[in-house]
Amino acid sequence: MPNKNESSVLPNHQCLNCKEALTYIEHARSLYCQKPLCQRAKVQDYLVDNKKRLTAELIIELEEYIQSAPNQKLPKGLGNELDETSPVVALLPANTKQLTNLSQKRQLEFLRHLGLIYKDVEANNPTANRVYLEHLNPPLQDDEAQLLGNACATCMGSCCKHGQTHAFVDYPSLKHLLASQLTDLSEQELLDLYSDYFPKQSYQYSCVFHGEKGCALPRELRSFTCNNFLCDGVLKYRNEVKYANSSLTFAAAVDNDKIMFTSIYNNANFTRVK
Ligand SMILES: [Zn+2]
């Protein structure tokens, strides 16, 4: 049996990042030393490894699907593209909430919020309630909108949870909407307009308009925040697909390091696999 000194400093153990010696016990706890720089390297390496693992898992799953699925299961355009190009991989978040009946209480909370903002606009009082975003970005090109929309369809709206019972409706968004109407809307007309779009079922604790098929509101009724927002996963994907020679995509929606949903798509076809 080794004595205490021998067992606590074994020469082979060193921090994976800075290569400084680690004691036996330190090494047993972590392959990295405690220096902040090395702790950051540890997280970074974990993320890279995790991304590699998820990518490999996704490709195996979808290749298996393609091999086993009768050809007619894949839309025609996709089948041809699969033979000719390798896909871009999109790793996205996942909406894992359950669909439930949208309660009267949550509907009323939204309508109360909408009424408040309506009164702010009437009174020219932009600072009375929270402003989420001042400006609306110009819309994306059709092809890109379709492609990024397919990424969002794979995730099914993880970001929508932040909409709660306000749906990010704020002074700039509502002012813009009201100004774009052909005739002036009364408060009641506005409340009625939005009420028409409450989904029967919405995702639990998510935005009141987050229904089974995504946002139940037409685009012009959505807030600036909702119309502009692209999550980190979609932004990364957008950047990668820009430089790829095809828009063919293997997409995975991931929750807690686990692949929840998958899809195969390009800017013309979308197939949900899981
Ligand atoms: Zn170190």
Side-chain angles (χ1 to χ4, degrees):
M1 208 167 160
N3 69 30
K4 252 188 182 164
N5 284 343
E6 275 172 321
S7 69
S8 61
V9 193
L10 290 179
N12 306 355
H13 297 318
Q14 45 180 226
C15 169
L16 267 187
N17 188 53
C18 71
K19 311 296 179 208
E20 228 166 67
L22 294 176
T23 66
Y24 178 78
I25 290 172
E26 281 167 346
H27 178 261
R29 284 201 190 118
S30 169
L31 301 179
Y32 296 79
C33 77
Q34 291 302 312
K35 287 204 226 58
L37 191 69
C38 299
Q39 287 298 304
R40 283 202 291 278
K42 176 182 171 178
V43 173
Q44 203 60 45
D45 286 355
Y46 169 77
L47 291 176
V48 169
D49 283 354
N50 208 34
K51 195 180 161 192
K52 277 192 204 150
R53 176 183 65 77
L54 290 168
T55 301
E57 248 176 56
L58 172 68
I59 290 174
I60 290 167
E61 182 181 318
L62 295 192
E63 289 291 352
E64 266 173 17
Y65 173 83
I66 291 162
Q67 305 295 324
S68 69
N71 236 354
Q72 63 267 24
K73 263 184 101 174
L74 286 174
K76 233 182 180 173
L78 277 185
N80 297 339
E81 228 181 320
L82 277 168
D83 294 337
E84 288 155 21
T85 47
S86 58
V88 180
V89 166
L91 295 179
L92 307 157
N95 163 35
T96 55
K97 295 186 184 307
Q98 299 295 312
L99 275 172
T100 54
N101 290 330
L102 177 61
S103 70
Q104 193 77 17
K105 180 171 172 278
R106 297 194 91 218
Q107 294 181 31
L108 290 174
E109 274 173 30
F110 172 76
L111 293 175
R112 191 178 333 125
H113 172 76
L114 186 63
L116 281 178
I117 308 298
Y118 181 89
K119 289 183 184 83
D120 291 347
V121 175
E122 288 289 281
N124 249 321
N125 190 0
T127 54
N129 285 285
R130 182 166 171 188
V131 168
Y132 295 98
L133 208 57
E134 293 282 355
H135 301 287
L136 178 64
N137 293 341
L140 301 172
Q141 299 275 318
D142 283 354
D143 265 12
E144 190 172 44
Q146 189 61 50
L147 211 54
L148 302 190
N150 286 342
C152 294
T154 309
C155 153
M156 297 198 286
S158 169
C159 63
C160 299
K161 61 176 172 267
H162 302 294
Q164 300 287 308
T165 55
H166 52 70
F168 292 100
V169 172
D170 56 7
Y171 185 94
S173 300
L174 191 59
K175 193 179 159 129
H176 177 81
L177 171 71
L178 292 173
S180 71
Q181 300 300 304
L182 295 174
T183 53
D184 286 350
L185 287 184
S186 68
E187 181 176 346
Q188 193 54 50
E189 283 168 334
L190 181 74
L191 299 187
D192 291 345
L193 177 64
Y194 273 88
S195 297
D196 281 346
Y197 293 102
F198 281 131
K200 233 192 169 84
Q201 292 212 303
S202 71
Y203 286 100
Q204 202 169 16
Y205 309 122
S206 188
C207 178
V208 282
F209 291 104
H210 188 190
E212 188 178 7
K213 294 203 167 110
C215 182
L217 288 174
R219 202 161 267 286
E220 64 272 17
L221 293 192
R222 297 180 199 169
S223 69
F224 286 177
T225 302
C226 300
N227 277 325
N228 286 0
F229 186 74
L230 299 173
C231 73
D232 285 348
V234 167
L235 283 173
K236 266 185 211 144
Y237 164 66
R238 179 195 202 184
N239 218 23
E240 279 170 32
V241 81
K242 205 182 278 178
Y243 297 105
N245 49 15
S246 131
S247 65
L248 179 65
T249 302
F250 282 6
V254 179
D255 180 58
N256 276 325
D257 296 345
K258 191 170 175 284
I259 294 180
M260 307 302 289
F261 317 120
T262 54
S263 67
I264 303 172
Y265 63 81
N266 57 17
N267 49 18
N269 298 288
F270 178 89
T271 299
R272 176 174 292 285
V273 175
K274 181 164 83 182

